[in-house]
Amino acid sequence: MTADIADDLVTRLGRAGVGDVLTDAAHRSAYASDASLYRVVPKAIVRPRSEEEVAATLEVCRTLGVPITARGAGTSVAGNAIGRGVVLDFSRYLDKVLAVDPGTRTARVQAGAVHATLQAAARPHALRFGPDPSTHTRCTIGGMIGNNSCGARTLGYGRTSDNVVGLDALTIDGERLSTGRDERGRPALEGAKAIADTLQAVVQGNLAVARTEFATFPRQVSGYAIEHLLPERGFDLTGLLVGSEGTLAVVTEATVRLVADPAHRLLVVLGYPDFGSAGDAVPAILGFTPTACEGIDSRLVEVVRTRRGADAVPPLPGGASWLFVEIAGDDLGECRDRARRLAAGAGAVDALVVEDTAQAAPLWRIREDGVGLAGRAPSGLPAHAGWEDAAVPPARIGDYLRDFDVLVERHGLTAMPYGHLADGCIHVRLDFPLDRPGGPGKFRAFLEDAADLVVGYGGSLSGEHGDGRARSELLPRMYSAEAMGLFRAVKHAFDPGNLLNPGVLVDPDPVDADVRVAAARPVKQKLAFGYHSDHGDFNQAVHRCTGVGKCRADTTALGGVMCPSFLATRTEKDSTRGRARVLQEMLDGDLAPDWRAPAIHDALDLCLSCKGCASDCPTGIDMAAYKAEVLHQSYKGRVRPRSHYSLGRLPMWSRLASRLPRLANALTTAPGLRNLALFTAGVDSRRSIPAFARQTFRRWYRGRAFEGKPVLLFVDSFTDHFAPDIAKAAVEVLTAAGYAPELTSESTCCGLTWISTGQLDAAKRILGSTVAKLTDAVERGVPIVGLEPSCTGVLRSDLVELLDTDAARAVSAATVTVAELLARTPGWTPPSLEGVRVVAQPHCHHHAVMGWEADAKLLKATGATVTRLGGCCGLAGNFGVERGHYEVSVQVAEQQLLPALDKAEPGDVFLADGFSCRTQAADLADKPGKHLVELLADALRKG
C-alpha cells in the first residue's frame, strides 16, 4: 500500500465519521503483533464507537481495496488478529454486555465485551458463560467467536460454537446479517440472501466431502466448520461464522447461551509416571463425566517453582505428570462418591481429592498461567508459539504424546506440553532457533512434520486457537483437494476480493513469512543492566513478551498491580505488551529505528516504572528496567529533561536542604517561589512539595547505642530527610524484638531516583559506594533492614543487575524488610492490634520484588482487620509529579486507592510503607499514612 493510499484512507475515514483512527508509529508497532510470533504492520487502527462506524470503515476499505482485520484483546496465538490494512479494535468502545435474560438463559453482548465482564454480569443470576479460556480476564467474546475458543471446561460446557445462539455481522459489502433460531429452534437468517443461496448451492454439490471430512471429533477446529451448512443441520450460518477467524464477515454483536454453575466442584489430582501414561488414562476418566481434565507435567511445575519460589506449587500427589480433573454437580454426596471412585479407578500412582475451592485455586493457577510460564523452554531459551494447540481424538492422546516427544527430540528442540488432555488438545511452545541462520527453515520443517504426525492420528492442526498464519498453509496436509476447494468457494461467496483478514485460511501466507524474532537485529550498544535471566541479551529480554495480554486485565481486586497505565487509558500502547511490541520494533522493524525514536518514548512515557509486570506478567517482563535502559541510552552525553536534574537527583538536593531545612521549607512554600521552583523542576503545579524534616534521622541517632543482636538499618534518603519518625519507630520495634540497630558511618543511597530517570552510570557509582559501606556488616553476618520499599527493592534486585559483583550479590542476599526479619526472629510475637482497622496499600516494588506476604502474615498475627488494596497508588516516584502525568496519576489512584480512602471510616489506619503512596494519599485525599513500624510502635506503647 502506497503512502498516498494510506493518507487517502485516513482522510476518507474521517469524512465518513470514523472518529478514532490511529496511524502513529507507536500504535502501529503495538498492533503489529498479537500473541503469535508474527509481525505484520497495519496502516491504521480504527477503534469504532458504533456499528455505523464499523460499516463506514468497511465501505472506505472496500472502495480503496484495503484489507481489514477484526481484533479483540489481541490474544490470538496463531496470528489471527494482525493485518496489513486496517485493524478494527473492538475492545476500546464496543465492549458492553447489553442485556442478560435469566429467563432464556441468554445474554446479548458487543464483540469487544471481555469474557470476565460477561461473567460478572451473569453472576447475580447464578449463571455463567460456559467456555473459559485461560485468558478469560481479558479475551473478548468477539475474539472467542473468531477462533471458536474452548478452555478448560469444554467437557462440561462445549466450545464457543456450542454456546452462541445468534450473531449480528457485516459483510464486506456492508450488508447486515443476523443469525439465530426461530420459534421452533431451527437456524434462522436475516439478510445476506445472495450469500446464503450461493453457499447452499456449493454445499449441495459437495455433500460427500462435507459429511465425511468435518466434525470427526469435537476438537476439529481447523478450517471452516462446513458441517453446519449440511441440510440435516438446518443450514446453520451461526456455526459456520464461529471459528471463521474474521475471514467471512465482521461480527459486531452476539447472543450467547448461559449455563447454571453447579453447586459443588471437586478437584481430583491424579499422578502418573509420565505424560503419555496420563494420556492413556483419559478414556477411563471420561467414564466419570468430568467437567474438566487438564494435564501438566514436571517440566511446567519446575518452571513455576523456579519463577515464583517453592511455595508457589502446593503439594502434589506422587508422579511426574498430573491430571487435574474436575467433578461437578448439585449433589455433594454424589460428587464425593464419583471423585472417590475416579481416584481409585484411573490407574494413577497417587491421587488427591480437594473439596476446598481456596485450596484448589493455586493448583488451577499453575495451569492457567501455563501459556505465559511456558515462554521459556526447558533449555532456558525462549519458547515460541506456532504449534501450540493441535488435537487428536482423546482415545489416542497417550500414544500421540509419546510420538510428539520423539518428534521434538529429533528436531533438537525442547518443550513443556500441557493442556486439555481429555479433549485430546495439547498446548506447547518450542525453542525454535528463529534468531539463528536457517531458523525459519527449521521452524517450517518442524511444522510440516508435526502436521503429518497429528493428521496420522486423525487429528486437527488446531484444537481451539484457529489456524491463523501459523497453520493455514498446512491445511492441505489435513484436508483433501475437494475440501480445500470448498473452503475457497465459501470464502469467495462472502469476500470475493479477499479483503477480510487475508493470508488466513484461504490463499494463506507462508507459515515462515513475517516471523518477528527471525528479523531481530542485535543490540550493539553497551548495556547498563545485566539482563542475567536473558543471558545479557536485551533482544531476548524484550521478546519475553509472548502477547498473552495479562497486562490488559484488571487484577487489582486480587492484589495485582500490572498494568496501571493501561487500566487508566485503555490504550494498547500503554500496556506492558504494547510497550514490549514497540521495543521489539526497534529490533525487528523500521517504525522505531533506535533508542531515541519518538515511538519508543511515546510508548514509555506513561510507564510508571511500578515493576508490577516483573511479578505479575507470566513471562517476567521488567518494563521499569527497560524504560531506564532506554532513557540511559537516549540521554547519555546529552541534555536531559528538567525533571531528571531535579527529581532524578532528589537525594543530593535533600542533603543540601537538610543543612537549612527551615529556610528550604520557607522557600518552597512561598507562593511565587513555589511556582517557580515547580516549573524549574519540571513538576506539575498541582503537586505539593513535601516538607524537609527539621532534624534528619541520622542526626537524631548520633551518640545512641543499643543492646542486642546487631542489625544494620538502611536509612534511605526519603526516610532520613522527610520522614525520620519512621526510622525512630523502627528502632523502637527492633530493640523491643531484641535487636541493636546500627547505621553505617556515612550516608548511603540506593540510587533509585537516578535509576528511574535513566542516569545509570551515576546510579552504578552510587551503588558501588553503597555496597562498599555495607560490606562490613554483610561480612559480619548482620542483616540489612530496609524501610522504604522502593529502596529495599533496588538492593534486592536492580543492584545485582547493575553491578554484577559478588559483593553486590552478598548485599542483596542480606537485605530484608522489617516484616521478613521479624518473621524469622525466634520467640518474637507481635503486639496486639485487635480492633484496629487497616487499609493497606502495598508499595508496587514491595509487591513485585520482595512480595507482601510476610507483611500480610504479620498483620494477621496482630489481630488487625486488614483491607489490602491492589494496583498502584499512581504517584510512583517521580512519575506522578512530572509535568504531563498528573491526570493519569490521578486516574490510577482512582482505581483502588481513592475509593478505598473515601469509604474508610473514622479511626481507620491508612498503612503505606512507601513514601510515594503516603504522598499521593496526602495530596489527593488529605489522608495521612503510617508505616508498618509506626503501627507496631504505637501498639507497643499501648501494650
Side-chain angles (χ1 to χ4, degrees):
M1 188 185 302
T2 66
D4 290 341
I5 292 178
D7 291 342
D8 194 18
L9 170 67
V10 175
T11 300
R12 292 198 186 200
L13 287 171
R15 289 175 181 168
V18 180
D20 195 349
V21 182
L22 307 170
T23 59
D24 60 280
H27 281 99
R28 291 172 64 210
S29 299
Y31 282 85
S33 192
D34 42 18
S36 71
L37 49 76
Y38 296 98
R39 171 187 174 270
V40 177
V41 180
K43 288 299 178 185
I45 300 95
V46 170
R47 301 191 294 186
R49 291 183 169 90
S50 65
E51 186 178 278
E52 289 72 25
E53 286 198 10
V54 177
T57 302
L58 288 170
E59 181 178 357
V60 169
C61 290
R62 183 178 68 252
T63 301
L64 295 175
V66 174
I68 300 167
T69 299
R71 178 174 171 131
T75 55
S76 299
V77 185
N80 328 56
I82 51 178
R84 291 181 172 81
V86 167
V87 171
L88 276 171
D89 182 355
F90 283 87
S91 68
R92 181 64 179 89
Y93 303 112
L94 297 179
D95 60 347
K96 307 297 187 297
V97 176
L98 301 174
V100 174
D101 185 343
T104 60
R105 290 191 174 184
T106 60
R108 187 77 179 164
V109 300
Q110 293 178 315
V114 172
H115 180 284
T117 304
L118 171 58
Q119 301 292 51
R123 194 173 298 120
H125 307 285
L127 298 172
R128 58 166 288 152
F129 184 56
D132 57 347
S134 62
T135 55
H136 60 89
T137 56
R138 61 273 190 195
C139 71
T140 66
I141 301 301
M144 293 180 67
I145 289 168
N147 296 346
N148 197 8
S149 298
C150 299
R153 293 185 172 88
T154 308
L155 293 174
Y157 303 125
R159 304 173 297 174
T160 297
S161 57
D162 301 311
N163 292 274
V164 176
V165 178
L167 299 170
D168 283 352
L170 293 169
T171 70
I172 188 62
D173 291 327
E175 185 176 6
R176 188 175 189 271
L177 64 88
S178 294
T179 70
R181 298 274 170 175
D182 63 18
E183 64 279 0
R184 295 173 59 185
R186 298 173 303 187
L189 172 66
E190 292 182 14
K193 185 179 185 304
I195 293 175
D197 290 344
T198 301
L199 291 176
Q200 286 180 323
V202 167
V203 173
Q204 195 64 36
N206 293 273
L207 289 175
V209 173
R211 285 174 174 146
T212 58
E213 294 197 35
F214 299 92
T216 59
F217 73 106
R219 285 297 187 117
Q220 184 178 342
V221 168
S222 282
Y224 291 130
I226 300 295
E227 69 272 15
H228 293 287
L229 299 182
L230 286 167
E232 57 266 33
R233 295 208 181 202
F235 191 72
D236 181 7
L237 213 57
T238 302
L240 174 71
L241 290 174
V242 176
S244 60
E245 304 184 36
T247 62
L248 303 181
V250 176
V251 173
T252 57
E253 292 183 10
T255 299
V256 298
R257 183 175 293 109
L258 302 177
V259 296
D261 253 337
H264 307 285
R265 294 184 187 276
L266 276 63
L267 172 62
V268 183
V269 185
L270 304 169
Y272 296 91
D274 55 68
F275 217 27
S277 298
D280 292 336
V282 162
I285 290 170
L286 289 174
F288 294 89
T289 60
T291 51
C293 178
E294 299 292 289
I296 62 172
D297 76 356
S298 58
R299 288 169 284 189
L300 187 61
V301 170
E302 284 308 311
V303 169
V304 179
R305 289 193 176 114
T306 301
R307 276 285 316 278
R308 296 180 176 171
D311 293 341
V313 178
L316 292 167
S321 295
W322 298 271
L323 293 178
F324 292 10
V325 185
E326 183 179 82
I327 298 295
D330 294 328
D331 184 331
L332 180 58
E334 187 277 332
C335 288
R336 284 173 171 166
D337 178 65
R338 198 157 26 116
R340 178 187 56 77
R341 290 187 291 109
L342 169 61
V349 297
D350 196 6
L352 171 69
V353 178
V354 182
E355 291 191 24
D356 183 357
T357 55
Q359 184 184 351
L363 290 163
W364 282 116
R365 197 172 300 124
I366 299 171
R367 163 62 187 89
E368 189 167 290
D369 282 346
V371 65
L373 295 171
R376 290 279 155 153
S379 63
L381 297 172
H384 305 286
W387 188 257
E388 76 288 334
D389 73 321
V392 300
R396 307 191 70 185
I397 186 64
D399 288 338
Y400 170 74
L401 286 170
R402 283 183 280 270
D403 283 349
F404 184 76
D405 273 348
V406 171
L407 177 68
V408 169
E409 185 176 357
R410 191 171 79 234
H411 279 262
L413 305 172
T414 64
M416 291 183 290
Y418 60 96
H420 320 295
L421 260 67
D423 291 294
C425 182
I426 297 301
H427 295 309
V428 67
R429 289 173 180 265
L430 298 116
D431 48 359
F432 300 117
L434 297 172
D435 57 342
R436 301 177 201 165
K442 294 178 180 178
F443 171 63
R444 168 180 282 278
F446 178 85
L447 293 190
E448 291 175 348
D449 286 351
D452 291 341
L453 175 65
V454 80
V455 170
Y457 274 91
S460 177
L461 309 181
S462 171
E464 67 177 337
H465 295 157
D467 297 303
R469 297 171 184 278
R471 289 175 288 275
S472 292
E473 188 193 357
L474 304 172
L475 287 173
R477 292 173 178 264
M478 176 178 169
Y479 288 109
S480 67
E482 291 78 11
M484 295 303 299
L486 195 50
F487 291 164
R488 286 190 291 273
V490 169
K491 169 71 170 176
H492 190 267
F494 278 96
D495 180 26
N498 195 21
L499 292 178
L500 293 178
N501 212 9
V504 173
L505 291 177
V506 174
D507 296 326
D509 288 345
V511 295
D512 51 355
D514 304 312
V515 175
R516 183 178 63 250
V517 180
R521 299 178 291 271
V523 176
K524 297 181 179 180
Q525 293 87 347
K526 182 180 179 181
L527 299 168
F529 283 98
Y531 304 103
H532 299 125
S533 297
D534 298 289
H535 312 290
D537 188 345
F538 186 74
N539 205 320
Q540 273 196 30
V542 299
H543 279 94
R544 274 179 172 268
C545 178
T546 58
V548 296
K550 190 176 179 182
C551 48
R552 291 174 58 99
D554 185 354
T555 60
T556 55
L558 302 175
V561 171
M562 177 182 73
C563 174
S565 56
F566 175 79
L567 295 180
T569 69
R570 296 193 63 205
T571 296
E572 176 70 17
K573 77 171 179 64
D574 296 327
S575 68
T576 306
R577 179 180 69 182
R579 294 184 176 108
R581 293 295 185 240
V582 179
L583 287 170
Q584 290 166 9
E585 185 68 17
M586 181 177 76
L587 305 169
D588 305 338
D590 52 15
L591 295 177
D594 55 46
W595 299 97
R596 293 175 59 80
I600 298 287
H601 289 263
D602 183 16
L604 291 173
D605 178 52
L606 295 183
C607 173
L608 285 78
S609 297
C610 68
K611 280 191 178 289
C613 49
S615 61
D616 296 357
C617 173
T619 67
I621 285 282
D622 186 355
M623 195 55 63
Y626 307 164
K627 180 177 181 178
E629 186 75 63
V630 166
L631 294 174
H632 168 71
Q633 300 289 349
S634 297
Y635 291 111
K636 189 174 182 179
R638 297 182 174 93
V639 176
R640 290 175 167 271
R642 296 197 302 274
S643 63
H644 288 199
Y645 298 105
S646 56
L647 301 172
R649 301 178 184 182
L650 184 61
M652 181 181 73
W653 303 122
S654 299
R655 284 194 295 273
L656 291 174
S658 69
R659 298 174 183 175
L660 294 169
R662 293 187 181 183
L663 176 60
N665 288 334
L667 291 174
T668 55
T669 54
L673 292 175
R674 174 187 177 279
N675 292 338
L676 178 62
L678 291 174
F679 176 80
T680 303
V683 173
D684 192 282
S685 62
R686 289 163 286 190
R687 287 296 183 184
S688 64
I689 300 177
F692 293 98
R694 293 189 176 184
Q695 183 187 44
T696 66
F697 172 74
R698 281 188 162 273
R699 286 178 184 166
W700 174 87
Y701 183 87
R702 286 175 187 169
R704 298 176 189 268
F706 304 95
E707 294 292 329
K709 186 177 180 180
V711 293
L712 183 68
L713 207 56
F714 184 82
V715 184
D716 58 274
S717 300
F718 302 103
T719 302
D720 195 27
H721 297 108
F722 296 103
D725 287 345
I726 290 175
K728 295 175 188 177
V731 169
E732 191 173 347
V733 171
L734 292 173
T735 54
Y739 291 102
E742 303 175 354
L743 302 187
T744 54
S745 57
E746 299 178 56
S747 295
T748 54
C749 180
C750 70
L752 171 68
T753 58
W754 281 269
I755 294 172
S756 62
T757 53
Q759 302 178 76
L760 299 183
D761 288 336
K764 287 183 177 183
R765 290 193 297 270
I766 292 165
L767 283 170
S769 173
T770 294
V771 167
K773 295 170 185 176
L774 297 176
T775 295
D776 173 67
V778 173
E779 291 176 345
R780 290 187 288 123
V782 176
I784 301 167
V785 182
L787 296 175
E788 168 57 40
S790 55
C791 299
T792 309
V794 170
L795 297 184
R796 288 273 282 265
S797 176
D798 290 341
L799 169 62
V800 175
E801 287 293 322
L802 286 168
L803 294 189
D804 193 20
T805 63
D806 289 341
R809 280 184 279 275
V811 167
S812 180
T815 301
V816 294
T817 67
V818 171
E820 289 171 339
L821 178 71
L822 294 176
R824 71 189 196 193
T825 302
W828 182 81
T829 55
S832 175
L833 289 172
E834 291 284 348
V836 177
R837 296 185 305 272
V838 175
V839 178
Q841 172 71 70
H843 190 283
C844 296
H845 290 197
H846 198 153
H847 163 86
V849 179
M850 290 83 73
W852 204 69
E853 290 75 15
D855 297 69
K857 289 179 182 178
L858 190 157
L859 287 167
K860 183 177 181 180
T862 67
T865 301
V866 179
T867 300
R868 176 183 176 176
L869 306 183
C872 178
C873 74
L875 193 68
N878 57 289
F879 174 86
V881 300
E882 289 177 332
R883 293 170 66 88
H885 292 164
Y886 181 83
E887 285 75 14
V888 170
S889 175
V890 172
Q891 288 172 343
V892 172
E894 289 171 342
Q895 293 165 14
Q896 286 267 313
L897 176 62
L898 294 183
L901 295 181
D902 286 343
K903 289 190 293 185
E905 299 177 14
D908 287 2
V909 176
F910 174 52
L911 180 65
D913 287 2
F915 179 73
S916 292
C917 307
R918 297 192 302 274
T919 302
Q920 182 81 317
D923 256 13
L924 302 183
D926 195 26
K927 178 73 173 179
K930 282 183 176 290
H931 192 287
L932 176 64
V933 293
E934 293 181 297
L935 189 62
L936 295 175
D938 287 346
L940 286 171
R941 295 182 203 119
K942 294 174 183 176

